[in-house]
Amino acid sequence: MSEDVQGCKDLGTQCEGRLLQLPSFRSAESWRPRHNLRMRRRKIVVAGGFCLSFFLGTLLNLLCVPGFDHNHHLQDRGTPVPLGQSWQDNEISMDLLKQLQDRYQEVIRYREHQVPVSATERLLRPLERRLMDLAQKSSSEHNQKLESPKRSSSDQDILSQSHPSSKIDLSLQPPLLGCQDISKGNNVRYLGSGYTKAVYKLVLNDTVSVALKSVDFGGHDIQNCLKRYRTLEDCYRLASFKIVKEMILLQRLQHPNILQLYGYCYQENNDISDTLTTIIELGSPLEMIQLLQSSWEDRFRICLSLVRLLHYLAHSPLGSVTLLDFRPRQFVIVDGELKVTDLDDASMEETPCASSEDCFMEFPARNFTLQCSVEGKCQSMNEKRNLYNAYRFFFTYLLPHSAPSSLRPLLDVIVNATGELRWGIDETAAQFEKVLYLYKSGLYLSNITHVPTAEYKQVEDVSILDEDYRCWPSYHHNGCLLSVFNINEAIEVCESHSQCKAFIWMNQTTWTGRQLVFFKTGSKNVVPDQNKITYLKMTV
């Protein structure tokens, strides 16, 4: 009995507990032989369990310990890695290879698309024209990098094609700015990030501010790729092709309402060599709430900028280009003009079709079916997708509200026609230009001459301090600052406001050339102010 108890103690307290709980109605002589056999079996099972646990633990440590890479170890020794083994060991499927291949070929396709010289010269601004005059660097090695890779039946060939050199010079023109300019800049500030990219502000020479775009390693694109494929370098390369594509489009599509590309830089980041950063024009984020509080003239300018951009995209040198990710956050404002900043989701591919049923466009509030052309393409789908998005995100909110009363019928026609896609971009652009002409020329004003109900005394080189009142919409947050076509319209506005007792001709103009006028509640605090003319309301 003592030997059995001692043997059970050697196996642990669990066995000893079981011994103490043996039935009490049996004698020691009756259960001892069976107990010895049972104990020997338990010892064998426990010993086998220990051996199995040790083996499994060792195996798991070898496979899962951080930093261990069997294939990398083989490569360091110069041993060729069997094709597919590295991808299988790292849970990377051929799906990632195909994505890399397709995105790389898309970049090549956009770059190799030829732009007519006449169109380029006509559309370039002076800055880009100077760039085009510079000699384009080229070499046989450079051209080899840009050749579209040919598919091979060998998986090894597919693997190598999907991993081109990480430093791919796909620029069309010599850049104005590069890595040295970034290193010399200061006041770097994070602005925001999206699905793929992060944006920073950089000040050059303490005077000029630019935007820097690079792949966001903490963004959804990289993180989702890592969860699925677990290879940072390839996930980065897949995401960086979006930036390369956008860089090419910023050079191919030259228009005042597209941000300018100033340059780019390849440098090491996160242990990845040759990560790409683009240097582009800096704009202000588009805030719809602020736009709704701004003057109608400024809101019309935003819509006009957008229409001019979409008209260009419909007839661009690359063909009809659509913005697949069309949202207000994809645009910025530069000096009052709307400019598109994200082009990585732009597409010049026309939707193929066998019948009109294939040309179905679905939106949250409305669906459309377009015609299928004899060439097997959906007619104007890229153009009309852009146009309807412009209607639902911009026109319906910014165009009609607080517009001059005589222009509202025409603006309502524009909003309704674009909302129903009865017009294409050509007709829409023509109608916008018509509104602009009527507004700038003053032809929108009533043909009936307004007869003032009071006399106004003109006093030059003076202004009025304080004595403000608010009106809407106004260029001044705490006052009533509006634009007028002439002095008669200023008097008409003043007499339509019960608070107005005077107004100041500012000798400042808006983007349409209209005069800015400050309307006041009185004229007690008159002070000298050159180049200003004050009109005092004398009688009521």
Side-chain angles (χ1 to χ4, degrees), residues 120-398:
T120 304
E121 293 297 329
R122 181 177 68 254
L123 296 171
L124 289 183
R125 288 165 282 179
L127 175 62
E128 286 78 6
R129 189 171 292 112
R130 289 197 299 271
L131 284 176
M132 293 295 290
D133 291 339
L134 299 175
Q136 182 176 350
K137 297 180 180 180
S138 61
S139 64
S140 58
E141 179 182 357
H142 175 71
N143 292 332
Q144 290 176 0
K145 288 182 181 180
L146 301 178
E147 290 180 356
S148 177
K150 299 179 180 179
R151 294 184 181 272
S152 171
S153 59
S154 169
D155 288 343
Q156 182 63 50
D157 291 340
I158 296 177
L159 180 65
S160 62
Q161 292 167 11
S162 301
H163 290 74
S165 174
S166 57
K167 183 176 182 180
I168 308 173
D169 185 7
L170 294 178
S171 64
L172 306 176
Q173 307 159 0
L176 291 175
L177 303 176
C179 296
Q180 293 183 351
D181 300 284
I182 294 179
S183 62
K184 293 178 182 178
N186 52 35
N187 296 331
V188 179
R189 182 164 62 91
Y190 170 78
L191 296 181
S193 58
Y195 192 84
T196 303
K197 303 182 290 293
V199 184
Y200 301 84
K201 177 183 177 181
L202 177 69
V203 180
L204 303 177
N205 298 326
D206 297 324
T207 55
V208 180
S209 296
V210 297
L212 304 179
K213 275 190 180 183
S214 59
V215 172
D216 185 4
F217 283 89
H220 295 287
D221 207 348
I222 289 288
Q223 293 304 312
N224 290 344
C225 180
L226 287 176
K227 289 179 182 178
R228 185 174 183 182
Y229 302 113
R230 302 184 182 181
T231 168
L232 179 60
E233 185 174 357
D234 292 313
C235 286
Y236 171 81
R237 182 176 289 108
L238 185 66
S240 68
F241 283 154
K242 287 188 176 182
I243 297 184
V244 176
K245 172 187 172 182
E246 182 175 85
M247 181 175 69
I248 292 174
L249 288 176
L250 288 176
Q251 291 184 325
R252 286 291 192 190
L253 304 175
Q254 299 287 332
H255 189 266
N257 297 111
I258 298 177
L259 282 184
Q260 298 182 64
L261 175 70
Y262 294 144
Y264 60 94
C265 171
Y266 282 107
Q267 56 189 350
E268 183 175 348
N269 188 15
N270 282 15
D271 297 328
I272 298 178
S273 61
D274 299 327
T275 61
L276 176 62
T277 300
T278 56
I279 311 169
I280 62 176
E281 185 178 9
L282 179 67
S284 302
L286 185 66
E287 300 290 347
M288 291 301 293
I289 295 179
Q290 294 181 3
L291 276 179
L292 291 173
Q293 297 174 350
S294 63
S295 68
W296 177 83
E297 188 173 343
D298 285 347
R299 286 185 275 118
F300 176 74
R301 185 181 188 183
I302 296 297
C303 295
L304 178 65
S305 300
L306 180 57
V307 168
R308 287 173 173 173
L309 169 65
L310 299 187
H311 184 268
Y312 170 77
L313 292 180
H315 306 283
S316 80
L318 299 178
S320 182
V321 177
T322 185
L323 304 177
L324 297 177
D325 189 11
F326 195 115
R327 293 175 295 169
R329 64 178 299 178
Q330 308 296 83
F331 300 86
V332 295
I333 297 178
V334 180
D335 297 329
E337 288 279 337
L338 185 74
K339 297 194 177 189
V340 63
T341 177
D342 284 338
L343 291 175
D344 54 340
D345 289 314
S347 174
M348 64 180 184
E349 307 297 334
E350 291 284 2
T351 304
C353 60
S355 66
S356 296
E357 295 179 355
D358 299 325
C359 302
F360 183 74
M361 290 197 306
E362 184 176 5
F363 296 96
R366 186 77 182 269
N367 300 326
F368 301 92
T369 300
L370 304 181
Q371 294 295 321
C372 181
S373 67
V374 294
E375 293 83 8
K377 301 290 183 180
C378 295
Q379 289 185 359
S380 306
M381 178 169 279
N382 288 348
E383 168 188 333
K384 292 198 172 182
R385 181 186 289 113
N386 287 342
L387 189 56
Y388 187 79
N389 280 324
Y391 155 79
R392 70 189 187 104
F393 285 118
F394 290 90
F395 299 166
T396 186
Y397 299 109
L398 303 181

Side-chain angles (χ1 to χ4, degrees), residues 43 61 111 132 147 201 206 221 231 247 253 266 281 333 372 412 425 432-433 445 449 460-461 466 495 503:
K43 289 180 180 180
N61 284 335
R111 186 195 183 281
M132 293 295 290
E147 290 180 356
K201 177 183 177 181
D206 297 324
D221 207 348
T231 168
M247 181 175 69
L253 304 175
Y266 282 107
E281 185 178 9
I333 297 178
C372 181
D412 289 338
I425 189 60
F432 266 86
E433 296 296 341
L445 295 173
T449 304
E460 297 184 0
D461 296 331
D466 301 326
E495 296 192 344
F503 59 86

